[in-house]
Amino acid sequence: VARQKVCLQTVPGDESSGGCRGNTVCRHFEYRTYSPYFLPHPETIHAADVVQHKKSYCIDTANAGDRALMFVSGHIVPGSIKLGVVPQYPDAEIGSACTGGSWWYGYAGSCQQEGLECYSSEDLSRHAGKGAPGQCLVARQKVCLQMVPGDESSGGCRGNTVCRHFEYRTYSPYFLPHPETIHAADVVQHKKSYCIDTANAGDRALMFVSGHIVPGSLHTVVASGLRE
């Protein structure tokens, strides 16, 4: 996992278990943010105007900016950063009740886990309005996990999407501008599941993932050992 990106401690409390790049650790934080567009002065902040976060990031512990989370979106409420208790695994919050938030914070509302957003209880394909009740579900084009292998409806995805598992390879266009020059050492193999809209050709082709997909390498995995 790259520096300043979200990570997950596979051994809760062990900062070396988050799969971070060298010279960084996976550290868990609790902090609050506010939008500078609506709240330019920290002294005007009220509870309803801020969003609570509980996230882990790969940071360089020797870098003051990393320790202060200067790379996160939004403005951090002064004095709100503290080392947090490692949360439950990602699936624990899926389906739980939430309160809708604003577009500025990616519609996460009161959902804390990375990749989850708050969807309306009346229509799970639409975000809950600010302050409205909803459910925490995995957003479209975000990584998911099939709780029942092979069952695309078991990944906790938002309405009108499914959790589909893929195998594919990517290469960097900066170093390999021409696909015909690709060699095994230059590509990265991926096995991941994403919440996708099956009616959307771009979703089916994983046009939203980082890097360029090696032509012909994309396969849908329908069950363990079976590919389409």
Side-chain angles (χ1 to χ4, degrees), residues 11 28 98 175 222:
V11 179
H28 189 68
C98 59
F175 301 106
V222 293

Side-chain angles (χ1 to χ4, degrees), residues 131-178:
Q135 286 185 39
C136 292
L137 296 171
V138 183
R140 177 184 167 207
Q141 301 181 346
K142 298 297 183 181
V143 172
C144 55
L145 175 66
Q146 294 179 1
M147 300 306 294
V148 179
D151 183 354
E152 295 185 335
S153 67
S154 68
C157 296
R158 52 151 273 192
N160 295 334
T161 64
V162 300
C163 181
R164 181 158 293 177
H165 190 65
F166 297 91
E167 292 184 2
Y168 60 99
R169 292 179 294 147
T170 57
Y171 67 97
S172 169
Y174 296 100
F175 301 106
L176 295 166
H178 305 293

Side-chain angles (χ1 to χ4, degrees), residues 58-178:
C58 289
I59 68 162
D60 177 353
T61 58
N63 185 289
D66 279 16
R67 296 195 305 272
L69 300 183
M70 293 181 67
F71 53 86
V72 302
S73 300
H75 283 210
I76 294 178
V77 175
S80 71
I81 295 180
K82 61 181 180 179
L83 295 183
V85 176
V86 177
Q88 301 179 68
Y89 287 98
D91 60 308
E93 195 180 11
I94 293 175
S96 64
C98 59
T99 301
S102 67
W103 63 269
W104 175 258
Y105 295 105
Y107 297 106
S110 60
C111 302
Q112 298 297 317
Q113 188 65 45
E114 182 74 12
L116 299 188
E117 296 177 7
C118 189
Y119 291 90
S120 172
S121 297
E122 298 180 354
D123 183 352
L124 295 178
S125 67
R126 300 175 64 86
H127 289 109
K130 188 173 182 179
Q135 286 185 39
C136 292
L137 296 171
V138 183
R140 177 184 167 207
Q141 301 181 346
K142 298 297 183 181
V143 172
C144 55
L145 175 66
Q146 294 179 1
M147 300 306 294
V148 179
D151 183 354
E152 295 185 335
S153 67
S154 68
C157 296
R158 52 151 273 192
N160 295 334
T161 64
V162 300
C163 181
R164 181 158 293 177
H165 190 65
F166 297 91
E167 292 184 2
Y168 60 99
R169 292 179 294 147
T170 57
Y171 67 97
S172 169
Y174 296 100
F175 301 106
L176 295 166
H178 305 293

